[in-house]
Amino acid sequence: METLIGRHWHRLSAEQVVELLDSDARIGLTAFDVKHRLKHFGPNEVSAGRRQHPILKFLAQFHQPLVYILLAAGLITALLQEWVDSGVIMAVVLVNAVVGFLQESKAEAAIESLRQIVTTESTVLRDGQVLRVRSQEIVPGDIVRLQSGDKVPADMRLIKVRDMQIDESGLTGESVPVQKSVGNLSEKTILAERMNMAYAGSLVTYGQGEGVVVATGNKTETGRIAHLISEVVELQTPLTQRIAKFSHMLLYVIIALAAVTFLIGVIQDNPILDMFMAAVALAVGTIPEGLPAAVTITLAIGVRRMARRRAIIRKLPAVETLGSTTIICSDKTGTLTENQMTVQEIRAGAKRFTVSGSGYDPQGDVLEAGQVAEQGKFPPLYQCLVAGMVCNDSRLVSKDGRWAVEGDPTEGALIVSGRKSGLSESDLAQRLPRQDLLPFESDRQYMATLHADGDQNVIYAKGAVEVLLPKCDRMLAPSGDQEPFDAQELLAEAEAMAAKGLRVLAFAMKAVGKETSTIDHESVSSGMVFLGFQAMIDPPRKEAIEAVKSCHKAGIQIKMITGDHALTASAIAKKLGLKSSAADPESVPFVITGQELADFSTEAVIDKAKDTPVFARVAPEQKLRLVDALQASGHVVAMTGDGVNDAPALKQANIGIAMGISGTDVAKEAADMVLTDDNFASIRAAVEEGRGIFDNLTKFIVWTLPTNLGEGLVILAAIVINVALPILPVQILWINMTTAILLGLSLAFEPKESGIMDRPPRPPQAPILTRELLIRIGIVGTVMLIGAFGLFEWELMTGATVEQARTVAVNVFVIVEMFYLYKCRSLTQSVFKIGFFSNPWAIGGTAMMMALQLAYTYVPIMNRFFQSAPIDLYAWLRVFAVGIAAYIIVGIEKWLRRSRP
């Protein structure tokens, strides 16, 4: 039995499947069979994989270079008995570890969501009796009965169907329910087109059916996706990669400088303990203690900003990752489109009409040549719209200010088109009361209804063009009379509509006598009068079109990856403005299907994925394969999705984006970000915020590193020259912690600069700091070295005490940082160009920092604690002169860079 699981069940006949599974379609399994199979295959639930022990997962959060630096800083400050500073640093490390620990549980949460999908009751046939059992108790070989509203409990080969439709959008991405049948299919038939299969977790929306269970639990398609999720290795984001590389470099520099300092001092015959403390002072000075707090707070501010723009961040680094994104892979249905079928064209009485409006909102008009068409004056149009509304079992309702359809989306679109022309369901129900119904059947491809109409009855029918047209021998003319028609001409028109990605339905009617109270298929087999076509599509969102254009301008490629048909996907993609990134777009296909993708080698997928904008009819593992291929080309990939089938790719992508309204719990748990409005335009807004966040992080790093460099150089210079240290370790900690909080963190609130979406994405391999910024850091660090060391020596030569001289040196660092802060509010422009008062946090922070420095200098308790001393006005003037000099020098450097061609 075990060897049977995983067969291509769709290619076998229903009888063969039942026989292979040793079951009986008439009586089902016996109680003995069920007990034995339940023991052999296990319960019908998706089991969680082997999980890492929580303690190990927590300890793994400390295995990062930046954390090593922080732990070193905490240990060093503890050795210096600076318990407050040590406690603050250790608290930062602990909070970061706890947050990371909680976020790493999202894969397990996603699998738990998958387990919940199949916890329902089902109707089964066992020992010849119809029973209701928990879905966990279903086993391979069980005969399961399904009806409208049921959730499919396991993967099944259908053996009987009656007008059955199943919503498989969560698994395949198909935008409309799939009509099911029982016939055999080719072995190569892709998942989305296996009409004779029903898959666990999908929903029966119409009709009835019966099937034999072929897979349960982990062996189902849903279970296979759970396995894919658990196997996906979560990638580092561009930010974490850059911070890790930067931290490694910083770690080596700190160790090397501390070692050099110690060795120089020992060579000069200074006491070993003193030199050790000097090395410690240098290490403390060069560790940017405020960096992790700045990163966390800046990202948290980004989370708040994005929430205002309808994007909820589940994982902090995702904020910045959006700013690095080079490719956005988006699902079609509901994200780029309205997820609401909309009639766009009508053909009736040899005339073509267009329909304005979008989605299920009945606001709009039926137009002819741009003018509102009066259906009452044009019988073919009127009857075509009436047929769409009365030969219909769905309802259009308003829920919480949103229009929705209860029933089939296609029928909902027909109601909306009728309403746009002024028709009303209630009026038609009174004037044309229904007498009988021929429901839609998959093998007949049409639906018909019988209605009373005054002194006669009338049959209205809708269905596939190629099925309904042969049943018609006349068509309704503009005059209201009946006339012959050219079937080939009508078929050509329908094909032209279909070529644009539209779903085309034909409509017909037939007058019958009052004595006809019931209808059958013979009643509509001939003598019908053709009324026209209605062609519909799930239209692109207007805001998505603008968002795609904006992303292209920002250098971001957009790719559509959908389970829908290639023709429909291509039509929507062209309306959205999607295009190939190849130098010669004609040299690459516009659309590649999942079936074609399956035949490609890994190298071919990588090559095709780069330039092809649309992928249609793709399976879950193919979405994962495409994301892998794009990442292999060096791209930072954002992936959107809402279904169970999207979860593995969402987790593999650099940033996974789930839909908040239509998204499944599985998709949301696997994603890094959730859109509350399911709108692609919100992704564009989030990308803009992400770029702004990275800019602000870069500004903080460019602002804080000169201080660490200057402090390290001052200590090193003092050791080399063999003089007293201009600043002590406790004073270094005062500078680093207070300025980082009051001055540096204000940069996290800096508004986005103009033109942020007019530049290309940052290359994924690019470092945080460019050569130009490193030069600027070196310049400012050198100014701090010269100013602090020079004024320290000046004060000593003019008779000041060591404490006063050190107070001057500390104030040099703080005042230079205050002036330099305003140069870092924009890395290229003048602060006056971006708006001096546009960031009140910077101004408030500067005022508070100045107040603290006055307290540091003049309050006795601060003097005792930090070994500072009061200084006179002339000393302050010299300190401010250094700050102004730094401001002018950086201003000149920025001006020179802007002036370069």
Side-chain angles (χ1 to χ4, degrees), residues 239-256:
L239 176 66
T240 55
Q241 289 172 338
R242 289 183 175 97
I243 291 290
K245 187 180 292 186
F246 173 72
S247 301
H248 274 113
M249 179 191 72
L250 199 57
L251 184 62
Y252 300 144
V253 169
I254 289 170
I255 293 171

Side-chain angles (χ1 to χ4, degrees), residues 424-493:
S424 162
E425 301 99 301
S426 57
D427 290 346
L428 289 173
Q430 287 183 349
R431 193 169 63 77
L432 298 168
R434 184 183 290 187
Q435 306 295 304
D436 198 14
L437 163 71
L438 276 178
F440 183 90
E441 294 179 10
S442 57
D443 56 338
R444 297 186 185 273
Q445 293 290 304
Y446 68 84
M447 172 185 177
T449 52
L450 176 68
H451 300 264
D453 185 14
D455 57 357
Q456 65 174 6
N457 286 350
V458 62
I459 299 171
Y460 285 104
K462 74 171 188 288
V465 176
E466 65 275 12
V467 173
L468 208 55
L469 210 55
K471 301 179 186 300
C472 303
D473 52 23
R474 313 278 287 177
M475 68 176 283
L476 196 63
S479 62
D481 297 328
Q482 298 177 13
E483 63 182 20
F485 65 89
D486 185 341
Q488 292 304 314
E489 181 182 337
L490 291 177
L491 282 171
E493 287 190 32

Side-chain angles (χ1 to χ4, degrees), residues 7-229:
R7 279 179 177 267
H8 296 289
W9 299 107
H10 56 278
R11 73 179 177 85
L12 303 175
S13 69
E15 293 77 12
Q16 287 176 303
V17 173
V18 172
E19 183 180 348
L20 282 169
L21 291 168
D22 198 17
S23 187
D24 190 320
R26 293 176 293 105
I27 64 172
L29 296 175
T30 65
F32 174 80
D33 288 333
V34 172
K35 183 178 180 180
H36 172 72
R37 296 185 187 197
L38 191 60
K39 183 178 180 181
H40 183 75
F41 293 105
N44 177 33
E45 58 185 14
V46 178
S47 61
R50 185 178 178 183
R51 299 181 181 181
Q52 187 179 28
H53 193 280
I55 294 177
L56 293 177
K57 187 187 296 183
F58 180 72
L59 291 176
Q61 306 305 314
F62 296 92
H63 184 53
Q64 301 175 41
L66 187 59
V67 174
Y68 297 154
I69 296 176
L70 285 172
L71 288 172
L75 181 61
I76 290 166
T77 50
L79 290 172
L80 294 171
Q81 297 185 356
E82 301 296 336
W83 306 116
V84 174
D85 295 314
S86 179
V88 169
I89 294 169
M90 290 302 185
V92 169
V93 173
L94 187 62
V95 168
N96 286 341
V98 170
V99 171
F101 171 76
L102 294 175
Q103 290 169 345
E104 282 216 355
S105 301
K106 71 176 182 178
E108 295 172 11
I111 292 174
E112 184 60 29
S113 291
L114 283 162
R115 295 179 68 186
Q116 297 302 316
I117 282 182
V118 290
T119 56
T120 56
E121 281 197 343
S122 302
T123 303
V124 300
L125 182 65
R126 290 178 179 173
D127 286 320
Q129 296 183 333
V130 177
L131 307 172
R132 290 285 290 176
V133 300
R134 293 171 63 240
S135 65
Q136 292 97 321
E137 299 171 4
I138 286 175
V139 297
D142 256 327
I143 304 299
V144 178
R145 292 185 176 178
L146 300 169
Q147 61 182 8
S148 180
D150 285 350
K151 186 172 283 188
V152 180
D155 287 2
M156 300 161 51
R157 171 61 164 91
L158 297 172
I159 56 178
K160 293 180 184 177
V161 295
R162 182 177 179 185
D163 312 327
M164 190 163 73
Q165 297 178 17
I166 297 182
D167 180 358
E168 297 177 343
S169 58
L171 188 65
T172 66
E174 180 68 65
S175 55
V176 295
V178 179
Q179 189 72 35
K180 293 298 181 179
S181 60
V182 297
N184 300 5
L185 297 170
S186 164
E187 183 176 324
K188 291 186 177 181
T189 304
I190 62 173
L191 186 73
E193 295 177 358
R194 295 176 188 173
M195 306 305 177
N196 57 10
M197 298 291 293
Y199 292 103
S202 55
L203 184 68
V204 180
T205 60
Y206 192 81
Q208 300 172 336
E210 195 172 282
V212 58
V213 174
V214 298
T216 58
N218 291 337
K219 299 294 185 180
T220 62
E221 289 296 323
T222 299
R224 192 166 59 82
I225 291 171
H227 179 67
L228 288 174
I229 293 175

